[in-house]
Amino acid sequence: MMSLARYLILFLCCICTLATTPIFAHTDAAIDRVEPPFWWAGMQNPSLQLMVHGPQLGDLNVRVDYPGVKVERVTRVENPNYLFVDLLLDADVAPGKFELQFTKVNQILHRHTYELKARQGDSANRQGFDQSDVLYLITPDRFANGDPQNDQIVGMPDSLDRSKEYGRHGGDIQGIIDHLDYIRDLGFTAIWLNPVLENDMPKWSYHGYATTDYYKVDPRFGSNASYQLLSQKASEKGIKLIMDMIANHCGSEHWWMNDLPCSDWLNFQDNQPYVNTNHRKSSLLDPYVSKIDRQLMEDGWFVETMPDLNQRNELMSTYLIQNTIWWIEYAGLAGIRQDTYSYPHRDFMSDWTCRIIEEYPHFNIVGEEWTENPNIVAYWQANKQNQDGYSSCLPSLMDFPLQAAMKRALTEEETWGKGWIQLYESLANDFIYADPNELVVFPDNHDMSRIFTQVNEDYGLYQMALAFVCTTRGIPQLYYGTEILMSNKGSDSHGIIRSDFPGGWAGDTVNGFTGVGLGARQLEAQRFVGQLLNWRKQQPVIHHGKLLHFAPKNGVYVYFRYDDNNRIMVVLNKNEKAVEIDAKAYAQMTAGYSKGLDVIGGTSHSLTNPIQVPAKSPLILKLDL
């Protein structure tokens, strides 16, 4: 028999349960996504918009009972499975957890616990990558397999197959963590990874440019926690982390593609077949452009598997901006590389860059604008005075015009209008940039032939390319494997360009990390890169000094980096034979100096005698009195 006291306790428990559980709770109203999944207290912008997804949420209201948090607005869209909830956060709101209560006729139908985290100390003042850095670009799938257990993920169709050029090879975040010492010891101070977010696509997903979840690292690379760990471990070794982002498009298997929020979430959303971009970047600046040409450039899709996002939709725009800020704060990023920068709507790109810089004034963003026309590249940079009044807050761009000019300068025969003069005149165009010193300079990347292939596997030309990139104005970037002469001779396949780094997989007979099995020339190249980068790391005159160059003569190009305290003389000799140059010919820079130390070879050169420059070689001299 149950005692009277126990009956009373049971009765009171039932009363409490009825008081806290909605009698008419909808069992089909489960919330499957709230994005961003959490946020931080004390951000510069007090607004936070949550995208909430779940069956038949569209007719619900939302309320919050937490000091410093107010529901400012609830936006309903065409699809009843979405709600967009705008929260207003007080400047002094305390970190903590609170309930989002989803109600109808004052009945709580669903609850979701949301969290405001505490920011890391001085997070807003983080220092982005800059001219003192050298960036190491890595394709994660092809660098090193640190965790073979994530090679195959149940339910993800694009499985491991190293025999396929475009297949998954198993490289991951742990593989990068395992080799941070190698990267640091070479002299790199920042790493830029090709995208690591989930790409749950049927095939060819290794590259990472078809995002299927904007808040989740692809499990074949690792996890959000392992990406965060990479950032922390890299920072401990003096290496910054740069995230590759794509605001223009997602993957066709993104979770929202089967349940789009509204009819204008994508560009050309209902077109069958899809509408392809025309890639006519000049149409965005062209004063005579037709509407259809500009629309095709901005709104057309790259390919059918990469739906083009409509950033004119304010909900989409806010989603992408917040996602960027979320990753900066979560992973402690020092920079972003924005893919296909000019393809999203340009007013959105202005808003996106300015919102980021507003939150992080010392942050850096580099945009990809792949064109050899410097006028188009210059258009997008912050503080550029454009005729049409367009402006943005984008600090940096990839200097594709200079890269193309460098290749021609190295590989074409010297004539009055070809050879070094093309590189010289490309730099002379710097007057069109708001700040050419902020541009990222590079010999190659993941989308073009490797530099050793571009220069026809001529080691001397390769050395000059790297010497130029690391001593000219701007922020240098090298691609993984450049230091060991990786090439793609006889093929322009991206799968070959992005080949596996030797030594990154168990059983590799050649190991680029340790040097085992590398050829003599590869080892020499690796030493050269290490000497060059580690020397550069200690040279403020290269980071922030001025540039002065002399018109090339007889296959020789000479330029100087200088400031109030130091002068560096760079001589690039493309001739098949050694040459002698007279320092007096460059008296504007050499007057008052008596010698120069070869920073790579260690030899001292007198400036009163002819300077000997070996055939097809760079010579970098630190001038001394």
Side-chain angles (χ1 to χ4, degrees), residues 280-295 346 387-388:
R280 298 297 181 188
K281 300 168 186 179
S282 59
S283 68
L284 301 176
L285 291 65
D286 184 355
Y288 316 114
V289 68
S290 64
K291 290 182 179 179
I292 185 60
D293 287 340
R294 178 169 287 180
Q295 183 187 20
R346 58 180 174 174
Q387 187 174 8
D388 62 2

Side-chain angles (χ1 to χ4, degrees), residues 7 26 165 199 201 211 227 268 273 288 309 359 495 548 616:
Y7 271 120
H26 292 177
E165 295 177 18
N199 272 229
M201 301 290 286
T211 307
Y227 186 67
F268 292 114
Y288 316 114
L309 305 178
E359 288 286 353
L548 186 145
K616 281 192 174 180

Side-chain angles (χ1 to χ4, degrees), residues 397-573:
L397 289 112
M398 307 298 298
D399 198 343
F400 282 94
L402 192 67
Q403 191 282 330
M406 182 186 70
K407 178 192 174 183
R408 292 193 297 269
L410 289 166
T411 58
E412 292 183 357
E413 182 181 356
E414 290 290 315
T415 66
W416 188 87
K418 291 185 177 182
W420 285 129
I421 192 64
Q422 295 178 89
L423 187 57
Y424 173 86
E425 292 188 345
S426 182
L427 283 167
N429 283 330
D430 275 3
F431 68 89
I432 68 173
Y433 293 109
D435 190 351
N437 296 304
E438 287 292 329
L439 302 178
V440 172
V441 293
F442 56 100
D444 59 15
N445 65 22
H446 59 293
D447 286 326
M448 62 174 64
S449 286
R450 287 180 171 272
I451 185 60
F452 197 50
T453 299
Q454 290 184 46
V455 297
N456 304 312
E457 300 196 352
D458 186 308
Y459 183 65
L461 298 180
Y462 158 90
Q463 281 189 305
M464 283 188 281
L466 267 59
F468 173 75
V469 165
C470 292
T471 58
T472 191
R473 56 87 176 131
I475 305 168
Q477 167 252 299
L478 303 183
Y479 193 29
Y480 80 95
T482 293
E483 71 274 17
I484 56 169
L485 304 180
M486 285 181 65
S487 65
N488 54 291
K489 186 177 181 179
S491 173
D492 60 0
S493 164
H494 284 191
I496 298 299
I497 291 169
R498 306 164 187 170
S499 293
D500 297 346
F501 189 92
W505 279 256
D508 285 359
T509 56
V510 177
N511 192 320
F513 299 114
T514 65
V516 173
L518 292 180
R521 184 50 63 84
Q522 289 178 296
L523 289 170
E524 181 184 348
Q526 198 174 48
R527 285 192 297 270
F528 171 74
V529 171
Q531 287 178 296
L532 180 61
L533 268 56
N534 279 291
W535 168 78
R536 186 190 189 279
K537 190 186 296 185
Q538 307 301 324
Q539 301 301 316
V541 64
I542 299 294
H543 309 158
H544 306 295
K546 297 178 181 179
L547 170 67
L548 186 145
H549 62 174
F550 291 80
K553 293 181 181 178
N554 303 319
V556 177
Y557 179 35
V558 178
Y559 59 92
F560 292 79
R561 299 300 304 278
Y562 68 101
D563 58 22
D564 292 340
N565 302 310
N566 295 284
R567 291 195 180 181
I568 304 295
M569 180 180 186
V570 182
V571 184
L572 303 178
N573 174 25

Side-chain angles (χ1 to χ4, degrees), residues 364-384:
N364 206 349
I365 310 166
V366 56
E368 179 204 29
E369 176 61 308
W370 193 343
T371 174
E372 295 183 21
N373 185 342
N375 295 287
I376 296 178
V377 175
Y379 179 85
W380 301 107
Q381 193 176 26
N383 300 315
K384 171 66 174 177

Side-chain angles (χ1 to χ4, degrees), residues 149-157 159 218-220:
Q149 293 186 356
N150 63 24
D151 290 350
Q152 303 277 163
I153 301 296
V154 175
M156 302 190 86
S159 57
D218 195 296
R220 290 162 294 191

Side-chain angles (χ1 to χ4, degrees), residues 82 115 157 160 190 209 218 301 307 358 404 436 466 527 538 546:
Y82 286 87
E115 183 175 8
L160 185 77
Y209 287 96
D218 195 296
W301 295 21
E358 179 185 53
L466 267 59
R527 285 192 297 270
Q538 307 301 324
K546 297 178 181 179

Side-chain angles (χ1 to χ4, degrees), residues 161-191:
D161 192 342
R162 287 187 72 193
S163 68
K164 292 181 179 178
E165 295 177 18
Y166 292 95
R168 287 234 169 216
H169 289 192
D172 51 32
I173 291 170
Q174 186 60 50
I176 301 169
I177 292 173
D178 291 344
H179 295 99
L180 286 173
D181 286 346
Y182 170 82
I183 296 169
R184 177 200 60 197
D185 292 347
L186 274 175
F188 291 99
T189 57
I191 50 176

